[in-house]
Amino acid sequence: MPITPATTTHSPSSGTAEPILLELVDEDGVTTGTAEKLAAHQPPGRLHRAFSVFLFDERGRLLLQQRALGKYHSPGVWSNTCCGHPYPGEAPFAAAARRTFEELGVSPSLLAEAGTVRYNHPDPASGLVEQEYNHLFVGMAQAPLRPDAREVASTAYVTPAELAERHARDIFSAWFMTVLDAARPAVRELTGPSAGW
């Protein structure tokens, strides 16, 4: 099953292209159908299911990833640990764990649901639109990272103060602050008051 291309991948067995489908939802997160991945992000965007993962180390620092330069959407920007879209019918929790391993080579521990957030964020650089019903997850990264260079350009663990400095200096994904703010109650519960989130 394809995991990274923007539109299609070639199947070695048949030589035919298989579209990547996203799960369309209504405002309550109820599935209404499917749409091809790139088409769902074309303006004005179609509301679809997504997930965002926030992993922390044992010192309470957030793991950021810089998206690979070859990605079709928001290449080279910094964002949360991992984000993506479940396959149609795939549970968001399973998709979050799967993609975190595929992108970063680490299986999250203590991964827990952290609510949902609905947003509409146009990406000025690409012209694509993130019209998402996003399932949030928080957890720990307790093993060495093995990032896939096709997905991840760089990683960094940051404290809240370091994040503020980096956010003022570097380009972040259009959705980053929305998903972080929505996940903060669960982040504080996971990391404790001393971490400062």
Side-chain angles (χ1 to χ4, degrees), residues 96-137:
R98 172 180 59 80
R99 283 302 288 159
T100 300
F101 184 78
E102 288 171 354
E103 291 188 7
L104 294 161
V106 64
S107 293
S109 46
L110 305 176
L111 191 66
E113 294 183 9
T116 60
V117 62
R118 193 308 195 193
Y119 54 78
N120 177 0
H121 284 306
D123 176 39
S126 67
L128 301 175
V129 178
E130 288 290 3
Q131 191 71 268
E132 292 187 331
Y133 187 94
N134 198 308
H135 297 256
L136 308 171
F137 298 93

Side-chain angles (χ1 to χ4, degrees), residues 1 3 22-23 49-53 82-103 106 108 111 135 137:
M1 192 174 272
I3 56 172
L22 305 186
E23 195 169 86
R49 195 176 307 284
F51 64 82
S52 289
V53 178
C82 179
C83 53
H85 309 94
Y87 295 126
E90 183 182 25
F93 184 94
R98 172 180 59 80
R99 283 302 288 159
T100 300
F101 184 78
E102 288 171 354
E103 291 188 7
V106 64
L111 191 66
H135 297 256
F137 298 93

Side-chain angles (χ1 to χ4, degrees), residues 134-152:
N134 198 308
H135 297 256
L136 308 171
F137 298 93
V138 299
M140 304 288 290
Q142 296 180 304
L145 303 178
R146 292 179 287 111
D148 180 344
R150 296 168 298 179
E151 297 286 344
V152 181

Side-chain angles (χ1 to χ4, degrees), residues 3 15 24 32 53 55 62 84-85 100 130 148 150 152 156 170-171 176-177 188:
I3 56 172
L24 300 178
T32 60
V53 178
L55 297 186
L62 171 61
H85 309 94
T100 300
E130 288 290 3
D148 180 344
R150 296 168 298 179
V152 181
D170 298 333
I171 300 173
F176 175 74
M177 286 309 299
R188 292 182 183 122

